[in-house]
Coordinates of all heavy atoms in Angstrom, one line a residue:
R1355 N -60.5 -23.8 -33.1 CA -60.7 -23.3 -31.8 C -61.7 -24.2 -31.0 O -62.5 -24.9 -31.7 CB -61.3 -21.9 -31.8 CG -60.3 -20.9 -32.4 CD -60.9 -19.5 -32.4 NE -60.0 -18.6 -33.1 CZ -60.1 -17.4 -33.3 NH1 -61.2 -16.8 -32.8 NH2 -59.3 -16.7 -34.0
T1356 N -61.7 -24.2 -29.7 CA -62.5 -25.1 -29.0 C -64.0 -24.7 -29.1 O -64.8 -25.6 -29.0 CB -62.1 -25.0 -27.5 OG1 -62.2 -23.6 -27.0 CG2 -60.8 -25.6 -27.2
T1357 N -64.3 -23.5 -29.5 CA -65.7 -23.1 -29.7 C -66.2 -23.7 -31.0 O -67.4 -23.9 -31.2 CB -65.9 -21.6 -29.8 OG1 -65.0 -21.1 -30.8 CG2 -65.6 -20.9 -28.5
V1358 N -65.3 -24.1 -31.9 CA -65.7 -24.7 -33.2 C -65.8 -26.2 -33.0 O -66.8 -26.9 -33.5 CB -64.7 -24.4 -34.3 CG1 -65.0 -25.1 -35.6 CG2 -64.7 -22.9 -34.5
T1359 N -64.8 -26.8 -32.4 CA -64.7 -28.3 -32.3 C -65.5 -28.8 -31.1 O -65.9 -30.0 -31.1 CB -63.3 -28.8 -32.1 OG1 -62.7 -28.3 -30.9 CG2 -62.4 -28.4 -33.3
G1360 N -65.8 -28.0 -30.1 CA -66.4 -28.5 -28.9 C -65.5 -29.3 -28.0 O -66.0 -29.8 -27.0
L1361 N -64.3 -29.4 -28.3 CA -63.3 -30.1 -27.5 C -62.7 -29.2 -26.5 O -62.7 -28.0 -26.7 CB -62.2 -30.8 -28.4 CG -62.7 -31.8 -29.4 CD1 -61.5 -32.2 -30.3 CD2 -63.3 -33.0 -28.8
H1362 N -62.1 -29.8 -25.5 CA -61.4 -29.0 -24.4 C -60.0 -29.6 -24.3 O -59.8 -30.7 -24.6 CB -62.2 -29.0 -23.1 CG -63.5 -28.3 -23.2 ND1 -63.6 -26.9 -23.2 CD2 -64.7 -28.8 -23.4 CE1 -64.9 -26.6 -23.3 NE2 -65.6 -27.7 -23.5
H1363 N -59.1 -28.8 -23.7 CA -57.7 -29.2 -23.5 C -57.6 -30.1 -22.3 O -57.3 -29.5 -21.2 CB -56.8 -28.0 -23.5 CG -56.7 -27.4 -24.9 ND1 -57.6 -26.4 -25.3 CD2 -55.8 -27.6 -25.9 CE1 -57.3 -26.0 -26.5 NE2 -56.2 -26.7 -26.9
V1364 N -57.9 -31.3 -22.4 CA -57.8 -32.3 -21.3 C -56.9 -33.4 -21.7 O -56.5 -33.5 -22.9 CB -59.2 -32.9 -20.9 CG1 -60.1 -31.8 -20.4 CG2 -59.9 -33.6 -22.1
V1365 N -56.5 -34.3 -20.8 CA -55.6 -35.4 -21.1 C -56.1 -36.1 -22.3 O -57.3 -36.5 -22.5 CB -55.6 -36.4 -19.9 CG1 -54.8 -37.6 -20.2 CG2 -55.0 -35.7 -18.6
G1366 N -55.1 -36.3 -23.2 CA -55.4 -37.1 -24.5 C -55.9 -36.2 -25.6 O -56.0 -36.7 -26.8
T1367 N -56.1 -34.9 -25.4 CA -56.5 -34.0 -26.5 C -55.3 -33.9 -27.5 O -54.2 -33.7 -27.1 CB -56.9 -32.7 -26.0 OG1 -58.0 -32.8 -25.1 CG2 -57.3 -31.7 -27.1
V1368 N -55.6 -33.9 -28.8 CA -54.7 -33.6 -29.8 C -54.9 -32.1 -30.2 O -56.0 -31.8 -30.6 CB -54.8 -34.5 -31.1 CG1 -53.8 -34.2 -32.1 CG2 -54.8 -36.0 -30.6
A1369 N -53.9 -31.3 -30.1 CA -54.0 -29.9 -30.3 C -52.8 -29.3 -31.1 O -51.8 -30.0 -31.3 CB -54.1 -29.2 -29.0
M1370 N -53.0 -28.1 -31.5 CA -51.9 -27.4 -32.2 C -51.6 -26.1 -31.5 O -52.5 -25.4 -31.0 CB -52.3 -27.1 -33.7 CG -52.5 -28.3 -34.5 SD -52.8 -27.9 -36.2 CE -51.2 -27.6 -36.8
G1371 N -50.3 -25.8 -31.5 CA -49.9 -24.5 -30.9 C -50.1 -23.3 -31.8 O -50.6 -23.5 -33.0
R1372 N -49.8 -22.2 -31.3 CA -50.0 -20.9 -32.1 C -49.0 -19.9 -31.6 O -48.4 -20.1 -30.6 CB -51.4 -20.4 -32.0 CG -51.8 -20.1 -30.5 CD -53.0 -19.2 -30.4 NE -52.6 -17.8 -30.2 CZ -53.4 -16.9 -29.7 NH1 -54.6 -17.2 -29.3 NH2 -53.0 -15.7 -29.6
N1373 N -48.8 -18.9 -32.4 CA -47.9 -17.8 -32.0 C -48.6 -17.0 -30.9 O -49.8 -16.8 -31.0 CB -47.5 -16.9 -33.2 CG -46.7 -17.7 -34.2 OD1 -46.0 -18.6 -33.9 ND2 -46.9 -17.3 -35.5
D1374 N -47.9 -16.5 -30.0 CA -48.5 -15.8 -28.8 C -49.5 -14.7 -29.2 O -50.6 -14.6 -28.7 CB -47.5 -15.2 -27.9 CG -46.8 -16.2 -27.0 OD1 -47.4 -17.3 -26.8 OD2 -45.7 -16.0 -26.5
D1375 N -49.1 -13.9 -30.2 CA -50.0 -12.8 -30.5 C -50.7 -13.0 -31.8 O -51.2 -12.0 -32.4 CB -49.1 -11.5 -30.6 CG -48.0 -11.6 -31.6 OD1 -47.7 -12.8 -32.1 OD2 -47.3 -10.6 -32.0
Q1376 N -50.9 -14.2 -32.3 CA -51.5 -14.5 -33.6 C -52.5 -15.6 -33.5 O -52.1 -16.8 -33.8 CB -50.5 -14.7 -34.7 CG -49.6 -13.6 -34.9 CD -48.5 -14.0 -35.9 OE1 -47.9 -15.0 -35.8 NE2 -48.3 -13.1 -36.9
P1377 N -53.8 -15.4 -33.2 CA -54.7 -16.5 -33.2 C -54.8 -17.0 -34.6 O -54.5 -16.4 -35.6 CB -56.1 -15.8 -32.8 CG -55.7 -14.4 -32.4 CD -54.3 -14.1 -32.8
D1378 N -55.1 -18.3 -34.7 CA -55.3 -19.0 -36.0 C -53.9 -19.1 -36.8 O -53.9 -19.2 -38.0 CB -56.3 -18.3 -36.9 CG -57.7 -18.3 -36.3 OD1 -58.1 -19.3 -35.6 OD2 -58.4 -17.3 -36.4
S1379 N -52.8 -19.1 -36.0 CA -51.5 -19.2 -36.7 C -50.9 -20.6 -36.7 O -49.8 -20.8 -37.1 CB -50.5 -18.2 -36.0 OG -50.4 -18.5 -34.7
A1380 N -51.7 -21.6 -36.2 CA -51.2 -22.9 -36.1 C -50.9 -23.4 -37.6 O -51.7 -23.1 -38.5 CB -52.2 -23.8 -35.4
T1381 N -49.9 -24.2 -37.8 CA -49.6 -24.6 -39.1 C -49.4 -26.1 -39.2 O -50.2 -26.8 -39.8 CB -48.3 -24.0 -39.7 OG1 -47.2 -24.2 -38.8 CG2 -48.5 -22.5 -39.9
N1382 N -48.3 -26.7 -38.6 CA -48.1 -28.1 -38.8 C -47.6 -28.9 -37.6 O -47.5 -30.1 -37.7 CB -47.1 -28.3 -40.0 CG -45.8 -27.6 -39.6 OD1 -45.6 -27.0 -38.6 ND2 -44.8 -27.7 -40.6
D1383 N -47.4 -28.3 -36.5 CA -47.0 -29.0 -35.3 C -48.2 -29.3 -34.4 O -49.0 -28.5 -34.2 CB -46.0 -28.2 -34.5 CG -44.6 -28.0 -35.2 OD1 -44.3 -28.9 -36.0 OD2 -44.0 -27.0 -35.0
F1384 N -48.2 -30.5 -33.9 CA -49.3 -30.9 -33.0 C -48.7 -31.5 -31.7 O -47.5 -31.9 -31.7 CB -50.3 -31.8 -33.6 CG -49.8 -33.2 -33.8 CD1 -50.0 -34.2 -32.8 CD2 -49.1 -33.6 -35.0 CE1 -49.5 -35.5 -33.0 CE2 -48.6 -34.9 -35.1 CZ -48.8 -35.8 -34.2
Y1385 N -49.5 -31.6 -30.7 CA -49.1 -32.2 -29.5 C -50.3 -32.9 -28.9 O -51.4 -32.7 -29.2 CB -48.5 -31.2 -28.5 CG -49.4 -30.0 -28.2 CD1 -50.3 -30.0 -27.2 CD2 -49.3 -28.9 -29.0 CE1 -51.1 -28.9 -26.9 CE2 -50.1 -27.8 -28.7 CZ -51.0 -27.8 -27.7 OH -51.9 -26.7 -27.5
I1386 N -50.0 -33.8 -27.9 CA -51.0 -34.6 -27.2 C -50.8 -34.2 -25.7 O -49.8 -34.3 -25.2 CB -50.9 -36.1 -27.4 CG1 -51.0 -36.4 -28.9 CG2 -51.9 -36.8 -26.6 CD1 -50.6 -37.8 -29.3
L1387 N -51.9 -33.8 -25.1 CA -51.8 -33.3 -23.7 C -51.7 -34.5 -22.8 O -52.5 -35.5 -22.9 CB -53.1 -32.5 -23.4 CG -53.2 -31.2 -24.1 CD1 -54.5 -30.5 -23.8 CD2 -52.0 -30.3 -23.7
L1388 N -50.8 -34.4 -21.8 CA -50.6 -35.4 -20.8 C -51.3 -34.9 -19.5 O -51.4 -35.7 -18.5 CB -49.2 -35.7 -20.5 CG -48.4 -36.2 -21.8 CD1 -46.9 -36.3 -21.5 CD2 -49.0 -37.6 -22.2
N1389 N -51.8 -33.7 -19.4 CA -52.5 -33.1 -18.3 C -53.6 -32.2 -18.8 O -53.5 -31.8 -20.0 CB -51.5 -32.3 -17.4 CG -50.4 -33.1 -16.8 OD1 -50.7 -34.0 -16.0 ND2 -49.2 -32.8 -17.2
D1390 N -54.5 -31.9 -18.0 CA -55.5 -30.9 -18.3 C -54.9 -29.5 -18.4 O -54.1 -29.2 -17.5 CB -56.7 -30.9 -17.3 CG -57.5 -32.2 -17.3 OD1 -57.3 -33.1 -18.2 OD2 -58.3 -32.4 -16.4
H1391 N -55.3 -28.7 -19.4 CA -54.8 -27.4 -19.6 C -56.0 -26.5 -20.0 O -56.0 -26.0 -21.2 CB -53.7 -27.3 -20.6 CG -52.4 -27.9 -20.2 ND1 -51.6 -27.2 -19.3 CD2 -51.9 -29.1 -20.4 CE1 -50.5 -28.0 -19.1 NE2 -50.7 -29.2 -19.7
P1392 N -56.9 -26.2 -19.1 CA -58.1 -25.3 -19.5 C -57.7 -23.9 -19.9 O -58.4 -23.3 -20.6 CB -58.9 -25.3 -18.2 CG -58.0 -25.7 -17.1 CD -57.0 -26.6 -17.7
S1393 N -56.5 -23.5 -19.5 CA -56.0 -22.2 -19.9 C -55.8 -22.1 -21.5 O -55.7 -21.0 -22.0 CB -54.7 -21.8 -19.2 OG -53.7 -22.7 -19.6
L1394 N -55.8 -23.2 -22.2 CA -55.6 -23.2 -23.6 C -56.9 -23.2 -24.3 O -57.0 -23.0 -25.6 CB -54.8 -24.4 -24.1 CG -53.4 -24.5 -23.6 CD1 -52.8 -25.8 -24.0 CD2 -52.6 -23.4 -24.1
D1395 N -58.1 -23.3 -23.6 CA -59.4 -23.2 -24.2 C -59.7 -21.8 -24.5 O -59.2 -20.9 -24.0 CB -60.4 -23.8 -23.3 CG -60.4 -25.3 -23.1 OD1 -59.8 -26.0 -24.0 OD2 -61.0 -25.8 -22.1
M1396 N -60.7 -21.6 -25.4 CA -61.3 -20.3 -25.6 C -61.7 -19.7 -24.3 O -62.4 -20.3 -23.5 CB -62.5 -20.3 -26.6 CG -63.1 -19.0 -26.8 SD -62.2 -17.9 -27.8 CE -62.7 -18.4 -29.4
G1397 N -61.3 -18.4 -24.0 CA -61.6 -17.8 -22.8 C -60.5 -18.0 -21.7 O -60.6 -17.4 -20.6
G1398 N -59.6 -18.9 -22.0 CA -58.5 -19.3 -21.0 C -57.5 -18.1 -20.9 O -57.5 -17.2 -21.7
K1399 N -56.7 -18.2 -19.9 CA -55.8 -17.1 -19.6 C -54.4 -17.3 -20.2 O -53.5 -16.5 -19.9 CB -55.7 -16.9 -18.1 CG -57.1 -16.6 -17.5 CD -56.9 -16.3 -16.0 CE -58.3 -16.0 -15.4 NZ -59.1 -15.0 -15.9
R1400 N -54.1 -18.3 -21.0 CA -52.8 -18.5 -21.5 C -52.4 -17.4 -22.5 O -51.3 -17.0 -22.5 CB -52.7 -19.9 -22.2 CG -51.5 -20.1 -23.1 CD -50.2 -20.0 -22.3 NE -49.0 -20.3 -23.1 CZ -48.4 -19.4 -23.8 NH1 -48.8 -18.1 -23.9 NH2 -47.3 -19.7 -24.5
F1401 N -53.4 -16.9 -23.2 CA -53.1 -15.8 -24.2 C -53.9 -14.6 -23.8 O -55.0 -14.7 -23.4 CB -53.5 -16.3 -25.6 CG -52.7 -17.5 -26.1 CD1 -53.3 -18.7 -26.0 CD2 -51.4 -17.4 -26.6 CE1 -52.6 -19.9 -26.4 CE2 -50.7 -18.5 -27.0 CZ -51.3 -19.7 -26.9
T1402 N -53.3 -13.4 -24.0 CA -53.9 -12.2 -23.7 C -55.2 -11.9 -24.4 O -56.1 -11.3 -23.9 CB -53.0 -11.0 -23.9 OG1 -52.6 -10.9 -25.2 CG2 -51.8 -11.0 -22.9
D1403 N -55.3 -12.5 -25.6 CA -56.6 -12.3 -26.4 C -57.7 -13.4 -26.0 O -58.8 -13.3 -26.5 CB -56.3 -12.4 -27.9 CG -55.7 -13.7 -28.4 OD1 -55.8 -14.7 -27.6 OD2 -55.1 -13.7 -29.5
A1404 N -57.3 -14.3 -25.2 CA -58.3 -15.4 -24.7 C -58.8 -16.2 -25.8 O -59.9 -16.9 -25.6 CB -59.4 -14.7 -23.8
Q1405 N -58.2 -16.3 -27.0 CA -58.7 -17.1 -28.1 C -58.3 -18.6 -28.0 O -58.9 -19.4 -28.7 CB -58.2 -16.5 -29.4 CG -58.6 -15.1 -29.7 CD -60.1 -15.1 -29.8 OE1 -60.7 -15.7 -30.7 NE2 -60.8 -14.3 -29.0
G1406 N -57.4 -18.9 -27.1 CA -57.0 -20.3 -27.0 C -56.3 -20.9 -28.2 O -55.9 -20.2 -29.1
T1407 N -56.2 -22.2 -28.2 CA -55.5 -22.9 -29.3 C -56.5 -23.9 -29.9 O -57.5 -24.3 -29.3 CB -54.2 -23.6 -28.9 OG1 -54.5 -24.6 -27.9 CG2 -53.2 -22.6 -28.2
A1408 N -56.1 -24.5 -31.0 CA -56.9 -25.5 -31.7 C -56.8 -26.8 -31.0 O -55.8 -27.3 -30.7 CB -56.4 -25.7 -33.1
A1409 N -58.0 -27.4 -30.7 CA -58.1 -28.7 -30.1 C -58.9 -29.5 -31.2 O -60.1 -29.1 -31.4 CB -58.8 -28.7 -28.8
F1410 N -58.3 -30.5 -31.8 CA -59.0 -31.1 -33.0 C -59.2 -32.6 -32.9 O -59.7 -33.2 -33.8 CB -58.3 -30.7 -34.3 CG -56.9 -31.1 -34.4 CD1 -56.7 -32.4 -35.0 CD2 -55.9 -30.4 -34.0 CE1 -55.4 -32.8 -35.1 CE2 -54.6 -30.8 -34.1 CZ -54.3 -32.0 -34.7
G1411 N -58.7 -33.2 -31.9 CA -58.9 -34.6 -31.8 C -58.5 -35.1 -30.4 O -58.2 -34.3 -29.5
A1412 N -58.7 -36.4 -30.2 CA -58.4 -37.0 -28.9 C -57.9 -38.5 -29.1 O -58.3 -39.2 -30.0 CB -59.7 -37.1 -28.1
V1413 N -57.0 -38.8 -28.2 CA -56.5 -40.2 -28.2 C -57.6 -41.1 -27.6 O -58.0 -40.8 -26.5 CB -55.2 -40.3 -27.4 CG1 -54.7 -41.8 -27.3 CG2 -54.1 -39.5 -28.1
V1414 N -58.1 -42.1 -28.3 CA -59.1 -42.9 -27.8 C -58.6 -44.3 -27.3 O -59.3 -45.0 -26.6 CB -60.3 -43.1 -28.8 CG1 -61.0 -41.8 -29.1 CG2 -59.8 -43.7 -30.1
A1415 N -57.4 -44.6 -27.7 CA -56.7 -45.8 -27.3 C -55.2 -45.6 -27.5 O -54.7 -44.9 -28.4 CB -57.1 -47.0 -28.1
G1416 N -54.4 -46.1 -26.5 CA -53.0 -46.0 -26.7 C -52.3 -44.9 -25.9 O -51.2 -44.5 -26.2
M1417 N -53.0 -44.4 -24.9 CA -52.3 -43.3 -24.1 C -51.0 -43.9 -23.4 O -50.1 -43.1 -23.2 CB -53.2 -42.8 -23.0 CG -54.1 -41.6 -23.5 SD -53.1 -40.2 -24.1 CE -52.4 -39.5 -22.7
D1418 N -51.0 -45.2 -23.2 CA -49.7 -45.8 -22.6 C -48.6 -45.6 -23.6 O -47.4 -45.3 -23.2 CB -49.9 -47.2 -22.3 CG -50.4 -48.1 -23.5 OD1 -51.1 -47.6 -24.3 OD2 -49.9 -49.2 -23.6
V1419 N -48.8 -45.7 -24.9 CA -47.8 -45.4 -25.9 C -47.4 -43.9 -25.9 O -46.2 -43.6 -26.0 CB -48.3 -45.9 -27.3 CG1 -47.3 -45.5 -28.4 CG2 -48.6 -47.3 -27.3
V1420 N -48.4 -43.1 -25.8 CA -48.1 -41.6 -25.8 C -47.2 -41.3 -24.6 O -46.2 -40.6 -24.7 CB -49.4 -40.8 -25.7 CG1 -49.1 -39.3 -25.4 CG2 -50.3 -41.0 -26.9
K1421 N -47.5 -41.9 -23.4 CA -46.7 -41.7 -22.2 C -45.2 -42.2 -22.4 O -44.3 -41.6 -21.9 CB -47.3 -42.3 -21.0 CG -48.6 -41.5 -20.6 CD -49.3 -42.1 -19.5 CE -50.6 -41.3 -19.1 NZ -51.3 -41.9 -18.1
K1422 N -45.1 -43.4 -23.1 CA -43.8 -43.9 -23.4 C -43.0 -43.0 -24.3 O -41.8 -42.8 -24.1 CB -43.9 -45.3 -24.0 CG -44.3 -46.4 -22.9 CD -44.4 -47.7 -23.6 CE -44.9 -48.7 -22.6 NZ -45.1 -50.1 -23.2
I1423 N -43.7 -42.5 -25.3 CA -43.0 -41.5 -26.2 C -42.5 -40.3 -25.5 O -41.4 -39.8 -25.7 CB -44.0 -41.1 -27.4 CG1 -44.2 -42.3 -28.3 CG2 -43.4 -40.0 -28.2 CD1 -45.3 -42.1 -29.4
N1424 N -43.3 -39.8 -24.6 CA -43.0 -38.7 -23.8 C -41.7 -38.9 -23.0 O -41.0 -37.9 -22.6 CB -44.1 -38.3 -22.8 CG -43.8 -37.0 -22.0 OD1 -43.6 -36.0 -22.6 ND2 -43.9 -37.2 -20.7
Q1425 N -41.4 -40.1 -22.7 CA -40.2 -40.4 -21.9 C -38.9 -40.5 -22.7 O -37.8 -40.7 -22.2 CB -40.4 -41.7 -21.1 CG -41.5 -41.6 -20.1 CD -41.3 -40.5 -19.1 OE1 -40.3 -40.4 -18.5 NE2 -42.4 -39.7 -18.9
Q1426 N -39.0 -40.4 -24.0 CA -37.9 -40.5 -24.9 C -37.0 -39.3 -24.9 O -37.4 -38.2 -24.6 CB -38.3 -40.8 -26.4 CG -39.2 -42.1 -26.5 CD -38.5 -43.3 -25.9 OE1 -37.4 -43.7 -26.2 NE2 -39.1 -43.9 -24.9
P1427 N -35.7 -39.5 -25.3 CA -34.8 -38.3 -25.3 C -35.2 -37.3 -26.3 O -35.8 -37.5 -27.3 CB -33.4 -39.0 -25.8 CG -33.6 -40.4 -25.7 CD -35.1 -40.7 -25.7
V1428 N -34.8 -36.0 -26.0 CA -35.1 -34.9 -26.8 C -33.8 -34.3 -27.3 O -32.7 -34.4 -26.6 CB -36.0 -33.8 -26.2 CG1 -37.4 -34.4 -25.9 CG2 -35.4 -33.3 -24.9
A1429 N -33.8 -33.5 -28.3 CA -32.6 -32.9 -28.9 C -32.1 -31.8 -28.0 O -32.9 -31.0 -27.5 CB -32.9 -32.3 -30.3
P1430 N -30.8 -31.6 -27.8 CA -30.3 -30.5 -27.0 C -30.2 -29.3 -27.9 O -30.3 -29.3 -29.1 CB -28.9 -31.0 -26.7 CG -28.5 -31.9 -27.8 CD -29.8 -32.6 -28.3
R1431 N -30.1 -28.1 -27.2 CA -29.9 -26.9 -27.9 C -29.0 -26.0 -26.9 O -29.0 -26.2 -25.7 CB -31.2 -26.2 -28.3 CG -31.9 -25.6 -27.1 CD -33.1 -24.7 -27.6 NE -34.0 -24.6 -26.5 CZ -35.3 -24.5 -26.7 NH1 -35.8 -24.5 -27.9 NH2 -36.1 -24.3 -25.7
A1432 N -28.4 -25.0 -27.5 CA -27.6 -24.1 -26.7 C -28.6 -23.1 -26.0 O -29.5 -22.6 -26.6 CB -26.7 -23.3 -27.6
A1433 N -28.3 -22.8 -24.8 CA -29.1 -21.8 -24.1 C -28.8 -20.4 -24.6 O -27.7 -20.2 -25.2 CB -28.7 -21.8 -22.6
S1434 N -29.7 -19.5 -24.6 CA -29.5 -18.1 -25.0 C -30.1 -17.2 -24.0 O -30.9 -17.7 -23.1 CB -30.2 -17.9 -26.4 OG -31.6 -18.1 -26.2
P1435 N -29.8 -15.9 -24.0 CA -30.3 -15.0 -23.0 C -31.8 -15.0 -22.9 O -32.4 -14.9 -21.9 CB -29.8 -13.7 -23.5 CG -28.6 -14.0 -24.2 CD -28.9 -15.3 -24.9
D1436 N -32.5 -15.1 -24.1 CA -34.0 -15.1 -24.1 C -34.6 -16.5 -23.8 O -35.8 -16.6 -23.6 CB -34.5 -14.4 -25.3 CG -34.2 -15.2 -26.6 OD1 -33.1 -15.9 -26.6 OD2 -35.0 -15.2 -27.5
N1437 N -33.8 -17.5 -23.9 CA -34.3 -18.9 -23.7 C -33.2 -19.7 -23.0 O -32.4 -20.3 -23.7 CB -34.8 -19.5 -25.0 CG -35.6 -20.8 -24.7 OD1 -35.5 -21.4 -23.6 ND2 -36.3 -21.3 -25.7
P1438 N -33.3 -19.8 -21.7 CA -32.2 -20.5 -21.0 C -32.4 -22.1 -21.0 O -31.5 -22.8 -20.5 CB -32.4 -20.0 -19.5 CG -33.8 -19.7 -19.4 CD -34.2 -19.2 -20.8
L1439 N -33.4 -22.5 -21.6 CA -33.6 -24.0 -21.7 C -32.6 -24.6 -22.6 O -32.3 -24.1 -23.7 CB -35.1 -24.3 -22.1 CG -36.2 -23.7 -21.3 CD1 -37.5 -24.0 -21.9 CD2 -36.1 -24.3 -19.9
T1440 N -32.1 -25.8 -22.2 CA -31.1 -26.5 -23.0 C -31.7 -27.7 -23.7 O -31.0 -28.5 -24.3 CB -29.9 -26.9 -22.2 OG1 -30.3 -27.7 -21.1 CG2 -29.2 -25.6 -21.6
K1441 N -33.0 -27.9 -23.6 CA -33.6 -29.0 -24.3 C -34.7 -28.5 -25.1 O -35.4 -27.5 -24.8 CB -34.2 -30.0 -23.3 CG -33.1 -30.8 -22.5 CD -33.8 -31.8 -21.7 CE -32.7 -32.7 -21.0 NZ -33.2 -33.7 -20.1
T1442 N -34.9 -29.2 -26.3 CA -36.0 -28.8 -27.1 C -37.2 -29.8 -26.8 O -37.1 -30.6 -25.9 CB -35.7 -29.0 -28.6 OG1 -35.5 -30.4 -28.8 CG2 -34.4 -28.2 -29.0
Q1443 N -38.2 -29.7 -27.6 CA -39.3 -30.7 -27.5 C -39.3 -31.6 -28.7 O -40.2 -32.3 -28.9 CB -40.7 -29.9 -27.4 CG -40.8 -29.1 -26.1 CD -42.2 -28.4 -26.1 OE1 -43.0 -28.6 -26.9 NE2 -42.4 -27.7 -25.0
T1444 N -38.2 -31.6 -29.4 CA -38.0 -32.4 -30.6 C -37.4 -33.8 -30.2 O -36.3 -33.8 -29.6 CB -37.2 -31.7 -31.6 OG1 -37.7 -30.5 -31.9 CG2 -37.0 -32.6 -32.9
L1445 N -38.1 -34.8 -30.4 CA -37.6 -36.2 -30.1 C -36.3 -36.5 -30.9 O -36.3 -36.2 -32.1 CB -38.6 -37.2 -30.3 CG -39.9 -37.1 -29.4 CD1 -40.9 -38.1 -29.9 CD2 -39.5 -37.4 -28.0
E1446 N -35.3 -37.1 -30.3 CA -34.1 -37.5 -31.0 C -33.7 -38.9 -30.5 O -33.3 -39.0 -29.4 CB -33.0 -36.5 -30.7 CG -31.8 -36.7 -31.7 CD -30.8 -35.6 -31.6 OE1 -31.2 -34.5 -32.0 OE2 -29.8 -35.8 -31.1
P1447 N -33.8 -39.9 -31.4 CA -34.3 -39.8 -32.8 C -35.8 -39.6 -32.8 O -36.5 -40.0 -31.9 CB -33.9 -41.2 -33.3 CG -33.9 -42.1 -32.2 CD -33.5 -41.3 -31.0
P1448 N -36.3 -39.1 -34.0 CA -37.7 -39.0 -34.2 C -38.4 -40.3 -34.1 O -37.9 -41.4 -34.4 CB -37.8 -38.4 -35.6 CG -36.5 -37.9 -35.9 CD -35.5 -38.7 -35.1
I1449 N -39.7 -40.3 -33.7 CA -40.5 -41.5 -33.7 C -41.6 -41.2 -34.7 O -42.4 -40.2 -34.6 CB -41.1 -41.7 -32.3 CG1 -40.0 -42.0 -31.3 CG2 -42.1 -42.8 -32.3 CD1 -40.4 -42.1 -29.8
G1450 N -41.8 -42.2 -35.6 CA -42.8 -42.0 -36.7 C -44.1 -42.5 -36.2 O -44.3 -43.3 -35.4
I1451 N -45.1 -41.8 -36.8 CA -46.5 -42.2 -36.6 C -46.9 -43.2 -37.7 O -46.9 -42.9 -38.8 CB -47.5 -41.0 -36.6 CG1 -47.1 -40.1 -35.4 CG2 -48.9 -41.5 -36.5 CD1 -47.9 -38.8 -35.5
V1452 N -47.2 -44.4 -37.3 CA -47.4 -45.5 -38.3 C -48.9 -45.4 -38.7 O -49.2 -45.6 -39.9 CB -47.1 -46.9 -37.7 CG1 -47.5 -48.0 -38.6 CG2 -45.7 -47.0 -37.3
R1453 N -49.8 -45.1 -37.8 CA -51.2 -45.1 -38.2 C -52.0 -44.1 -37.3 O -51.8 -44.1 -36.1 CB -51.8 -46.5 -38.0 CG -53.2 -46.6 -38.3 CD -53.7 -48.0 -38.2 NE -53.2 -48.7 -37.1 CZ -53.6 -49.8 -36.6 NH1 -54.7 -50.4 -37.1 NH2 -53.1 -50.4 -35.5
A1454 N -52.8 -43.4 -37.9 CA -53.8 -42.5 -37.2 C -55.0 -42.5 -38.0 O -54.9 -42.5 -39.3 CB -53.2 -41.1 -37.0
Y1455 N -56.2 -42.5 -37.4 CA -57.4 -42.5 -38.2 C -58.5 -41.9 -37.4 O -58.5 -41.8 -36.2 CB -57.8 -43.9 -38.6 CG -57.8 -45.0 -37.5 CD1 -59.0 -45.2 -36.9 CD2 -56.7 -45.6 -37.1 CE1 -59.0 -46.2 -35.8 CE2 -56.7 -46.6 -36.1 CZ -57.9 -46.8 -35.5 OH -57.9 -47.7 -34.4
R1456 N -59.5 -41.5 -38.2 CA -60.7 -40.9 -37.6 C -61.7 -41.9 -37.1 O -62.0 -42.9 -37.8 CB -61.4 -40.0 -38.6 CG -62.6 -39.3 -38.1 CD -63.2 -38.4 -39.1 NE -62.3 -37.1 -39.1 CZ -62.6 -36.1 -39.8 NH1 -63.6 -36.1 -40.7 NH2 -61.8 -35.0 -39.7
V1457 N -62.2 -41.7 -35.9 CA -63.2 -42.6 -35.4 C -64.5 -41.8 -35.3 O -64.5 -40.7 -34.8 CB -62.8 -43.1 -33.9 CG1 -63.9 -44.0 -33.4 CG2 -61.5 -43.9 -34.0
K1458 N -65.5 -42.4 -35.9 CA -66.8 -41.7 -35.8 C -67.6 -42.1 -34.6 O -67.6 -43.1 -34.1 CB -67.6 -42.0 -37.1 CG -67.0 -41.3 -38.3 CD -67.8 -41.5 -39.5 CE -67.1 -40.9 -40.7 NZ -67.9 -40.9 -41.9

């Protein structure tokens, strides 16, 4: 949570999603923010419990690469009554992460 890491959901933040009604339910998917999203911070209005989502890192170099990845094709899916979107957020083909490391 942002109260633990001290990070906020701003451009370049590496964060994890969660289930709507389950704080601390993040498991293995992460995303990098391309815009500021303060509603995802602790106390934000994205979730009714105001717990926010995990923000655990930040891109310190290479945002141009992140933006290029964002422009890549995503996998299609069939629309359904509860989700009319026909695109996923899964890149197709996938793009591998060659290197990521902690900067102190």
Side-chain angles (χ1 to χ4, degrees):
R1355 298 183 186 180
T1356 55
T1357 55
V1358 175
T1359 64
L1361 300 174
H1362 295 281
H1363 290 88
V1364 296
V1365 173
T1367 298
V1368 182
M1370 293 184 81
R1372 56 167 264 201
N1373 297 329
D1374 282 342
D1375 58 348
Q1376 296 176 315
D1378 301 322
S1379 60
T1381 55
N1382 59 1
D1383 292 332
F1384 72 91
Y1385 53 91
I1386 300 170
L1387 293 174
L1388 299 173
N1389 297 298
D1390 294 349
H1391 290 281
S1393 65
L1394 296 174
D1395 288 343
M1396 177 71 90
K1399 299 188 186 299
R1400 168 60 179 85
F1401 300 99
T1402 56
D1403 61 18
Q1405 296 298 301
T1407 65
F1410 63 90
V1413 175
V1414 295
M1417 270 305 286
D1418 57 325
V1419 175
V1420 172
K1421 290 176 182 178
K1422 286 180 185 175
I1423 290 171
N1424 183 59
Q1425 298 302 314
Q1426 300 308 302
V1428 293
R1431 72 169 161 214
S1434 65
D1436 64 328
N1437 191 344
L1439 301 176
T1440 57
K1441 291 187 176 181
T1442 67
Q1443 294 182 2
T1444 304
L1445 296 171
E1446 190 170 294
I1449 296 174
I1451 298 172
V1452 176
R1453 180 177 40 164
Y1455 50 94
R1456 179 177 281 184
V1457 177
K1458 292 185 180 186

